[in-house]
Amino acid sequence: MRILVVEDEERLADTLRRGLAAAGHWVDVAHDGRRGLELALAQGYDALVLDVMLPGLDGYEVCGRLRRLKDRTPILMLTAKDGEYDEAEGLDAGADDYLAKPFSFVVLLARLRALGRRAGRERPTTLQAGDLVLDVAARACRRGTREIELTTRELAVLSCLMAGNGQAVPKSDILHEVWDAPGDIDPNIVEVYISSLRKKIDTPFARRSIRTVRGVGYRVTPDDG
């Protein structure tokens, strides 16, 4: 991903730049709101990591101006502030996600991956792997001509997996995309839903489309039996 970090704490900005680059991303950094807004409008990024307390323009104003200009770049807001009203203000300004300092870099990476899948590259309304078809808009799943009844959460987990186009999706990404407050959820809940999905979309059809990628997560691949 091509990411812009707008953070006035230079040590933190440099740490983020080096960490994101080490994870394979292309990173630019700005240390004030006006420069951040200028770069965001000129360069075309896949995601913005935007601090709230910035000189020049604060993060809320940068985010609001981008949205008023119809710029839909995914925005993850960072702030030392904590509390539901601060989070609400950021989301109301048009941010896609919110992370309070201090934060886990692993969580930040996971949230950026989730934002990249959800926003910058819109997910198709229909996802397919072999004869397994998920109609996201209609919230319906079928294997061949046979309809498969799934719960809302099962549909969300399967959608997350199938959007990976055969690539492994980390468990942490599934948690952050499917559950509203992943920090309060036992990560093993993902395994529970994977097991439930296998019983519904694979076992009755003698298939193995949901594969475990050890040490990473899960992926969905075509399996014609």
Side-chain angles (χ1 to χ4, degrees):
M1 295 174 68
R2 184 181 173 94
I3 300 171
L4 173 63
V5 173
V6 188
E7 167 61 65
D8 65 323
E9 295 180 39
E10 294 192 12
R11 289 181 61 183
L12 176 57
D14 188 58
T15 297
L16 289 173
R17 180 189 60 76
R18 288 186 285 106
L20 291 169
H25 301 293
W26 195 95
V27 187
D28 275 340
V29 173
H31 297 300
D32 66 81
R34 294 189 185 281
R35 179 57 176 164
L37 179 62
E38 179 183 301
L39 286 173
L41 291 172
Q43 299 296 329
Y45 294 94
D46 296 309
L48 269 63
V49 177
L50 179 64
D51 188 29
V52 168
M53 304 303 290
L54 293 168
L57 298 173
D58 68 23
Y60 299 134
E61 181 63 22
V62 172
C63 183
R65 291 194 187 188
L66 287 171
R67 295 307 186 233
R68 289 192 292 274
L69 291 169
K70 309 302 182 183
D71 187 306
R72 304 310 306 169
T73 304
I75 295 175
L76 172 62
M77 298 199 80
L78 298 180
T79 180
K81 291 185 176 182
D82 193 9
E84 60 184 14
Y85 292 107
D86 297 320
E87 180 175 354
E89 186 174 355
L91 296 175
D92 286 344
D96 298 276
D97 204 352
Y98 185 101
L99 201 55
K101 301 174 183 176
F103 54 86
S104 161
F105 184 71
V106 172
V107 171
L108 180 139
L109 277 177
R111 292 196 178 188
L112 283 173
R113 288 194 297 266
L115 287 178
R117 289 195 304 271
R118 288 204 304 263
R121 301 175 292 279
E122 290 189 5
R123 184 172 298 177
T125 57
T126 300
L127 301 168
Q128 185 166 357
D131 64 349
L132 177 65
V133 178
L134 178 62
D135 187 328
V136 179
R139 306 178 69 80
C141 179
R142 62 180 169 83
R143 172 80 76 178
T145 59
R146 182 172 165 181
E147 297 293 326
I148 303 172
E149 185 175 345
L150 299 177
T151 66
T152 299
R153 195 77 75 180
E154 287 169 343
L155 284 164
V157 172
L158 183 59
S159 174
C160 184
L161 291 175
M162 294 183 71
N165 294 317
Q167 301 298 310
V169 179
K171 182 191 294 187
S172 59
D173 286 16
I174 300 172
L175 275 171
H176 282 92
E177 184 158 345
V178 176
W179 278 269
D180 294 332
D184 299 328
I185 302 294
D186 183 344
N188 290 327
I189 192 67
V190 175
E191 296 171 12
V192 173
Y193 276 88
I194 293 295
S195 176
S196 178
L197 282 169
R198 282 171 169 155
K199 291 175 182 177
K200 292 184 177 183
I201 70 173
D202 280 351
T203 302
F205 303 92
R207 305 294 176 83
R208 291 184 62 246
S209 59
I210 299 181
R211 307 292 181 111
T212 299
V213 182
R214 296 196 180 282
V216 181
Y218 304 92
R219 65 190 179 101
V220 170
T221 59
D223 188 324
D224 298 323

